[in-house]
């Protein structure tokens, strides 16, 4: 899901909660109310939050698998190719020796799987990113400490500054803030 | 359950964040740190001097000879890499088993892994006669139109150590990103904000990010566990593939892997005791952690003891003449001190860990860890030298004594270990705040249910 770009009038509305359970509850209620372009922020991985957001993305595991398969193929293929390209006859031992090739095949499988997994995670998360409009909200630094946030993006079809704010107020948050676009480049 | 009880851990979240991020931002005891750092830096200087001497004169400045052409360089390589394995095991294996107590230990155990693997990786390179050509091990199209020898354990080494280093680095780094973000959010000085801001990659704790982060973190952990086993088995194959009496044993791969975990847990225990004291982390690293570390140490120690026994049994059962001679050399030969040193230092103090008072006492655990670390060094030395110094032919009998520059390099390598580790302690969150909070939240959920 793309986050709102600078062409929209505001980035979204941000509600702050003091308990993880309340955040999950609020996400569920926001979805039930028809909001679709929303995101939640927490200082740690909260079990049940992805389900509440109805966020199902398994591209990272698939990428890991693809990386592993590719790595194993590259590892084994490299050894076969180089041994055929420059044959070294050592006491008449077989040129292509699967037993001797397996270790490097395994190592490259692991290496590629991990590089794909972590690289894929960063790319899909649009990280690294130097700046984000949320960082200009005063209370947002608590998202890495002990507070929980729900944002409704301005690109949501149901987004309306006053009405959405009224809806968020009903969820009993600590406060609701308007997230503006900031001067810094996206 | 009343609302108050739930509100309490929410207060704890902020407390934990504060307690962990205050260390890099406002270091509690700078004087002790500067003293350690000064000591470590002088060791690092010694490293550069001894490497300079080595490069200028060649490997001849070491005590290596024929037949003992692998001396301290390779025994220290195995020793350091072994130490490195515990970090990944603690962190990855216990993550997969959802053992919440790992959260207080995993971050610095992984950092220890990184620096230990760095030290280990330097040894085989320095041991090459022409170390500046070490990249010949990598397959790249070159003007000589030849390729590396992929059937040689030396090339396996290159891939195994490099993969292990990269995977450990990435695993450690993505684990630390959420805590770097927490440190960034607490930083007051501009320089700190920029530093943590850049390295936290713009992390903001989005549920979508956490979801993918968790998938990637767990998968990397799942892959790292067999990686640990493969890397140390590879080292043991380096030995076992050579036709040297005393190295040709099928017990080698498991024996090496367990010995590696054993020495690594010993170092983790020492670091846990030292950091807890230096950074006053008394409520995050508790006697319960020491208790569990002690149990791990005892378990892996007894498994290593089985390896010692199996090695002797193997020789006596097979009754090979040369193998027998090597066994006798190990037990009573010129280097018997290294065998008995290993047995005494590894297994005698270890028996204290059967008692819970010893496991829970930081001082005793530290001393036992130290003893095991030294004992495992003796073991690596024993494995190498006692096998090589008298093999099949009387004409290839010879002694080995490490030279001054070998010892100097070893001391210097401790500086290579300590300098980055101390920088890590000073500037990065040493304990995983996000994961401790997650564990608290989950325990709370279980208590409510």
């Amino acid at each position: 899901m793309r986050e709102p770009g600078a062409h929209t009038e505001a980035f979204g509305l941000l509600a702050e909660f003091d308990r993880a359970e309340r955040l999950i509850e609020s996400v569920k209620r926001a979805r039930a109310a028809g909001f679709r372009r929303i995101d939640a922020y927490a200082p740690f991985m909260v079990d049940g939050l992805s389900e509440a957001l109805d966020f199902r993305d398994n591209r990272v595991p698939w990428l890991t698998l693809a990386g592993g398969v590719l790595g194993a193929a590259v590892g084994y293929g490299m050894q076969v190719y180089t041994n055929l390209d420059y044959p070294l006859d050592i006491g008449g031992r077989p040129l292509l020796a699967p037993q001797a090739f397996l270790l490097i095949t395994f190592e490259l499988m692991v290496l590629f799987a991990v590089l794909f997994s972590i690289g894929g995670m960063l790319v899909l998360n649009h990280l690294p990113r130097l700046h984000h409009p949320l960082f200009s909200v005063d209370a947002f630094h608590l998202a890495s400490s002990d507070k929980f946030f729900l944002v409704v993006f301005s690109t949501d079809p149901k987004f309306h500054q006053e009405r959405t704010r009224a809806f968020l107020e009903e969820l009993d948050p600590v406060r609701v803030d308007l997230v503006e676009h900031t001067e810094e480049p996206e | 359950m009343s609302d108050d009880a739930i509100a309490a851990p929410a207060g704890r979240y902020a407390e934990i964040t504060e307690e962990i991020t205050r260390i890099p931002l406002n270091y509690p005891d700078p004087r002790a740190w500067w003293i350690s750092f000064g000591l470590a830096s002088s060791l690092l200087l010694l490293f550069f001097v001894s490497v300079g001497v080595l490069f200028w004169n060649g490997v001849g400045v070491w005590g290596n000879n024929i037949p003992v052409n692998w001396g301290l360089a390779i025994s220290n390589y195995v020793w350091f890499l072994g130490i490195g394995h515990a970090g990944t095991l603690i962190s990855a294996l216990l993550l997969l088993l959802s053992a919440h107590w790992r959260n207080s230990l995993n971050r610095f155990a992984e950092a220890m892994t990184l620096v230990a693997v760095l030290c280990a990786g330097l040894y085989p390179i320095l041991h090459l006669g022409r170390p500046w050509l070490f990249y010949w091990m990598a397959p790249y199209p070159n003007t000589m139109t030849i390729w590396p020898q992929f059937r040689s354990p030396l090339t396996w080494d290159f891939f195994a150590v490099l993969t292990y280093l990269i995977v450990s680095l990435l695993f450690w780094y993505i684990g630390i990103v959420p805590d770097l973000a927490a440190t960034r959010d607490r930083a007051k000085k501009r320089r700190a904000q920029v530093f943590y801001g850049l390295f936290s990659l713009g992390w903001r704790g989005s549920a979508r990010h956490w979801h993918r982060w968790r998938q990637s973190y767990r998968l990397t952990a799942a892959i790292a566990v067999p990686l640990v086993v493969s890397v140390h088995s590879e080292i043991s194959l380096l030995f076992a593939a050579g036709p040297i009496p005393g190295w040709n044993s099928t017990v080698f791969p498991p024996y090496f892997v367990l010995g590696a975990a054993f020495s690594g847990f010993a170092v983790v225990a020492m670091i846990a005791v030292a950091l807890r004291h230096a950074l006053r982390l008394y409520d995050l690293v508790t006697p319960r952690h020491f208790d569990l570390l002690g149990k791990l140490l005892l378990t892996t120690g007894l498994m290593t003891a089985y390896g010692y026994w199996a090695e002797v049994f193997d020789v006596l059962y097979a009754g090979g003449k040369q193998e027998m001679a090597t066994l006798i050399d190990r037990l009573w030969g010129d280097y018997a001190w290294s065998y008995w040193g290993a047995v005494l230092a590894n297994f005698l103090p270890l028996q204290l860990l059967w008692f819970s008072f010893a496991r829970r006492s930081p001082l005793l655990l530290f001393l036992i860890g130290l003893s095991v670390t030294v004992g495992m060094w003796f073991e690596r030395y024993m494995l190498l030298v006692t096998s090589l110094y008298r093999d099949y032919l009387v004409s290839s009998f010879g002694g080995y004594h490490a030279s001054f520059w070998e010892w100097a390099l070893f001391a210097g390598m401790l500086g290579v270990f300590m300098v980055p580790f101390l920088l890590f302690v000073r500037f990065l969150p040493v304990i995983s705040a996000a994961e401790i909070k997650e564990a608290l939240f989950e325990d709370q959920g279980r208590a409510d249910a």
Side-chain angles (χ1 to χ4, degrees), chain A residues 39-40 85 107 125 141 144, chain B residues 147 151 185-186 206-207 212 230:
Chain A
D39 202 356
D85 189 46
E107 300 298 336
N125 281 346
H141 73 275
S144 61
Chain B
W147 294 104
R151 284 168 289 176
D185 292 343
R186 315 267 99 67
S206 154
R212 296 193 186 100
S230 85

Side-chain angles (χ1 to χ4, degrees), chain A residues 21 47, chain B residues 1 97-100 438-449:
Chain A
E21 295 85 350
D47 256 342
Chain B
M1 190 162 271
L97 297 173
S98 304
H100 282 167
E438 184 187 337
L440 260 183
F441 174 70
E442 283 171 13
D443 291 346
Q444 186 65 34
R446 241 171 263 147
D448 285 348

Side-chain angles (χ1 to χ4, degrees), chain B residues 231-241 247 252-254 256:
Chain B
V231 171
H232 229 72
S233 301
E234 182 271 328
I235 295 182
S236 77
L237 289 174
L238 205 102
F239 286 79
W247 285 357
F252 261 37
F256 265 56

Side-chain angles (χ1 to χ4, degrees), chain B residues 340-357:
Chain B
W340 295 111
V343 171
L344 293 180
N346 277 342
F347 303 119
L348 213 58
L350 190 73
Q351 304 312 318
L352 274 175
L353 293 177
W354 289 100
F355 307 102
S356 86
F357 80 89

Side-chain angles (χ1 to χ4, degrees), chain A residues 1 3 18-22 24 36 38-47 49-50 53 55-61 64 78-79 81-83 85-90 93-97 99-101 103-104 106-111 113-115 117-118 120-122 124-130 132 134-135 140-146 148 153, chain B residues 3 6-7 10-11 13-15 17-18 139 144-152 155-157 159-164 166-167 170-171 174 177-178 181-186 197-198 200-217 219-220 223-224 226-227 230-231 233-234 237 433-435 437-439 441-442 444-445 448:
Chain A
M1 183 187 67
E3 294 183 345
D18 54 4
R19 278 170 43 192
E21 295 85 350
R22 193 158 284 159
I24 297 178
R36 286 295 172 269
I38 54 178
D39 202 356
Y41 300 87
F44 52 87
M45 167 98 204
V46 178
D47 256 342
L49 194 54
S50 307
L53 276 168
F55 179 64
R56 277 183 283 257
D57 185 354
N58 285 326
R59 280 178 292 174
V60 169
T64 313
M78 170 182 72
Q79 295 177 82
Y81 171 75
T82 54
N83 272 279
D85 189 46
Y86 189 81
L88 286 168
D89 187 348
I90 296 161
R93 289 184 181 83
L95 211 50
L96 303 182
Q99 297 93 328
F101 290 173
L103 196 123
I104 292 181
F106 177 79
E107 300 298 336
L108 287 188
M109 178 186 83
V110 168
L111 183 65
V114 169
L115 287 175
S117 182
I118 293 177
M121 183 267 283
L122 290 176
L124 292 173
N125 281 346
H126 300 288
L127 295 176
R129 184 163 169 173
L130 283 175
H132 194 273
L134 279 171
F135 289 141
F140 193 71
H141 73 275
L142 294 172
S144 61
S145 174
D146 62 340
F148 303 84
F153 294 130
Chain B
D3 245 8
I6 299 170
Y13 296 153
E15 233 173 78
T17 315
E18 201 48 51
M144 297 170 286
T145 66
I146 56 170
W147 294 104
Q149 169 58 300
F150 286 107
R151 284 168 289 176
S152 150
T155 317
W156 301 354
D157 249 5
F159 281 88
V161 175
L162 201 64
T163 301
Y164 194 50
I166 296 174
V167 169
L170 288 174
F171 185 55
I174 63 160
V177 161
T183 315
R184 167 201 67 199
D185 292 343
R186 315 267 99 67
L198 281 178
S200 59
L201 306 177
W203 184 265
R204 50 194 179 277
S206 154
R208 291 178 166 80
H209 292 185
W210 278 117
H211 179 89
R212 296 193 186 100
W213 179 87
R214 158 80 72 84
Q215 287 178 330
S216 179
Y217 197 54
L219 280 168
T220 307
I223 302 169
L227 178 67
S230 85
V231 171
S233 301
E234 182 271 328
L237 289 174
E435 284 175 278
K437 287 185 272 187
E438 184 187 337
F441 174 70
E442 283 171 13
Q444 186 65 34
D448 285 348

